[in-house]
């Protein structure tokens, strides 16, 4: 765990001012121009605390994935609550969050080009850093490109064929290549069953993860049989963390979306502690000329579209439905809909790519916006 001094600098910064022609916070929620990304501080803090308490009780390390929130403010709060560090999907995310005081980052995607490896080497001199690899050529490039010891994880393909070595023999070969460099250290194995996280039925998800964990055990046995220590086994997610902890193979959890609980995860039967929605998009009715439908100012540019439509949570009658109608607009469909200028609140279908559409979180304390936190790593995809 990091000391208080490593996160204090972020929390002691002055409160953000809204760069939209408004006065300093606090201000009423209704006065924030829409569409706006809203974050309920109390719900966020309860979610962070619940996951931290679960990990501590299970005796497993917590390394939340910052690809969900891309926020220095949230990452520092997760670390202050007990996380050993964070994960980032891309090096640019790690560079941005390191600027906000995060000092321990694991990169969950390979870094393979010379220019980005040079940046990796520079960041590795500044913070505790680790990265995954799944190809011996990449290991050789990393070994030649860094000038200080770098922790490398064997990335193991869970069957989705996105990244990762595809067999126990390939994992052993990669571990040998890591050892041969002299500058790289085998830190462990990463195993992320991303396609399993949103299996809605808990029993079905548990059975699938148990089968995949059996495969993971066979790879770990092969590595240890070849003489390699595996200090850390990292992976898991919001959909499987409780199952992963129960099975006892992971030593570290890479949970991400639990901080916000989007519609995709709300649709799943989750095991373990209960989390609550903390992230919302506020929108305004801008047209109300068609019976049974009004138009709001939140469309394709306001929500990720890969996971269906957002859920109407407030400002419209129960049962009101949302439909995308264009880049800037969406429709609410139903009876007794709100009139022109009314505000509505929606739950994003998929939090990670929705967050990446916004510059800031509007932090809610009740019905007042007390701060704006920047989406620190927005657009950092290199």
């Amino acid at each position: 765990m990091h000391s208080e001094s490593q996160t204090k600098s972020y929390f002691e910064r002055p409160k953000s001012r809204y760069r939209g022609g408004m006065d300093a916070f606090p201000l009423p929620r209704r006065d924030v121009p829409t569409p706006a990304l809203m974050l309920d501080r109390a719900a966020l803090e309860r979610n962070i605390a619940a996951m931290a308490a679960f990990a501590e009780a299970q005796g497993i390390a917590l390394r939340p994935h910052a690809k969900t929130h891309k926020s220095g403010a949230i990452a520092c709060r997760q670390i202050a609550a007990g996380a050993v560090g964070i994960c980032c999907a891309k090096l640019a995310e790690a560079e941005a969050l390191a600027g906000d005081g995060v000092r321990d980052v694991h990169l969950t995607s390979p870094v393979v080009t010379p220019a980005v490896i040079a940046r990796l080497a520079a960041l590795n001199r500044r913070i505790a850093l680790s990265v995954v690899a799944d190809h011996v050529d990449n290991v050789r490039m990393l070994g030649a490109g860094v000038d200080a010891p770098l922790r490398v994880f064997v990335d193991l393909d869970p069957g989705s064929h996105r990244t990762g070595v595809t067999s126990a023999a390939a994992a052993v070969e990669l571990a040998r290549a890591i050892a041969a460099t002299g500058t790289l250290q085998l830190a462990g194995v990463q195993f992320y069953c991303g396609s399993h996280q949103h299996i809605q039925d808990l029993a079905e998800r548990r059975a699938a993860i148990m089968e995949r964990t059996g495969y993971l055990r066979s790879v770990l046995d092969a590595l240890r049989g070849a003489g390699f220590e595996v200090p850390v086994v990292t992976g898991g997610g919001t959909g499987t963390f409780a199952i992963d902890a129960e099975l006892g193979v992971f030593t570290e959890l890479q949970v991400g979306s639990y901080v916000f609980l989007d519609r995709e995860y709300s649709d799943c039967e989750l095991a373990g502690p209960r989390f609550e929605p903390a992230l919302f998009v506020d929108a305004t009715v801008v047209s109300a000329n068609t019976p049974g439908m009004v138009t709001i100012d939140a469309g394709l540019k306001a929500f990720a579209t890969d996971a269906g439509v957002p859920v109407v949570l407030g400002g419209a009658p129960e049962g009101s439905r949302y439909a995308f109608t264009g880049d800037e607009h969406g429709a609410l469909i139903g009876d007794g809909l709100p009139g022109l200028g009314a505000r509505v609140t929606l739950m994003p279908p998929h939090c990670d790519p929705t967050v990446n559409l916004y510059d800031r979180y509007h932090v809610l304390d009740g019905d007042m916006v007390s701060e704006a936190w920047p989406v620190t790593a927005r657009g950092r995809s290199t």
Side-chain angles (χ1 to χ4, degrees):
M1 184 188 298
H2 290 281
S3 67
E4 181 181 352
S5 63
Q6 290 175 304
T7 55
K8 183 183 293 185
S9 61
Y10 190 95
F11 298 132
E12 289 181 345
R13 293 180 183 180
K15 288 186 176 181
S16 304
R17 296 178 68 90
Y18 186 75
R19 297 182 180 179
M22 293 203 169
D23 294 331
F25 295 114
L27 75 156
R29 177 177 186 169
R30 64 180 179 273
D31 289 346
V32 176
T34 60
L37 193 66
M38 315 300 290
L39 180 59
D40 186 311
R41 185 199 303 270
L44 171 74
E45 291 179 348
R46 286 191 292 269
N47 289 344
I48 289 174
M51 185 62 80
F54 173 85
E56 182 178 16
Q58 296 292 319
I60 192 168
L62 181 62
R63 184 179 291 275
H65 211 309
K67 71 183 178 69
T68 297
H69 54 69
K70 289 177 170 279
S71 164
I74 296 174
C76 287
R77 281 163 172 79
Q78 290 172 315
I79 293 168
V84 297
I86 64 166
C87 297
C88 288
K90 299 294 183 68
L91 179 61
E93 289 180 342
E95 291 168 330
L97 296 186
D100 272 350
V102 175
R103 290 292 175 263
D104 193 322
V105 177
H106 170 59
L107 295 175
T108 59
S109 299
V111 176
V112 302
T113 61
V116 183
I117 289 174
R119 287 165 45 203
L120 179 80
L123 187 60
N124 188 48
R125 292 191 292 269
R126 293 173 47 205
I127 68 171
L129 189 64
S130 60
V131 67
V132 298
D134 67 1
H135 198 287
V136 293
D137 289 348
N138 185 207
V139 166
R140 294 182 186 121
M141 293 175 67
L142 290 170
V146 300
D147 52 8
L150 174 66
R151 296 175 297 149
V152 178
F153 283 75
V154 173
D155 189 17
L156 178 60
D157 177 13
S160 60
H161 308 312
R162 184 170 65 181
T163 66
V165 297
T166 57
S167 69
V172 171
E173 180 186 11
L174 197 69
R176 287 177 176 146
I178 293 168
T181 64
T183 53
L184 306 181
Q185 302 171 345
L186 178 61
V189 168
Q190 175 178 282
F191 190 65
Y192 175 58
C193 295
S195 62
H196 295 72
Q197 299 302 315
H198 293 103
I199 297 174
Q200 292 191 0
D201 180 74
L202 177 59
E204 183 182 348
R205 194 180 332 123
R206 183 188 300 277
I209 288 298
M210 289 179 67
E211 187 276 330
R212 287 290 80 195
T213 302
Y215 171 60
L216 172 60
R217 286 192 178 100
S218 72
V219 175
L220 296 174
D221 289 344
L223 285 167
R224 290 164 179 150
F228 293 103
E229 294 184 2
V230 185
V232 177
V233 181
T234 186
T238 298
T240 64
F241 73 92
I243 304 167
D244 294 323
E246 174 189 323
L247 295 176
V249 177
F250 284 106
T251 66
E252 183 177 271
L253 294 174
Q254 294 184 1
V255 286
S257 299
Y258 76 96
V259 292
F260 296 149
L261 198 68
D262 57 20
R263 198 224 72 231
E264 279 194 298
Y265 277 117
S266 295
D267 289 346
C268 291
E269 183 185 3
L270 299 179
R274 294 295 178 258
F275 304 104
E276 57 190 290
L279 185 77
F280 314 98
V281 171
D282 277 7
T284 301
V285 176
V286 296
S287 182
N289 295 326
T290 302
M293 188 189 91
V294 299
T295 298
I296 61 174
D297 59 357
L300 296 169
K301 294 180 181 178
F303 299 99
T305 62
D306 62 303
V309 296
V311 177
V312 182
L313 293 181
E318 185 177 353
S320 300
R321 297 180 292 107
Y322 175 93
F324 289 107
T325 59
D327 290 354
E328 315 296 344
H329 301 118
L332 298 187
I333 301 167
D335 298 321
L337 294 170
L340 198 67
R343 292 177 73 96
V344 295
T345 297
L346 304 104
M347 176 192 289
H350 187 183
C351 55
D352 305 26
T354 295
V355 164
N356 198 48
L357 299 171
Y358 292 86
D359 290 326
R360 63 185 66 83
Y361 297 96
H362 296 87
V363 182
L364 290 168
D365 289 302
D367 288 328
M368 298 296 291
V369 177
S370 56
E371 296 182 81
W373 294 346
V375 181
T376 317
R378 181 192 179 188
R380 300 296 187 96
S381 58
T382 60

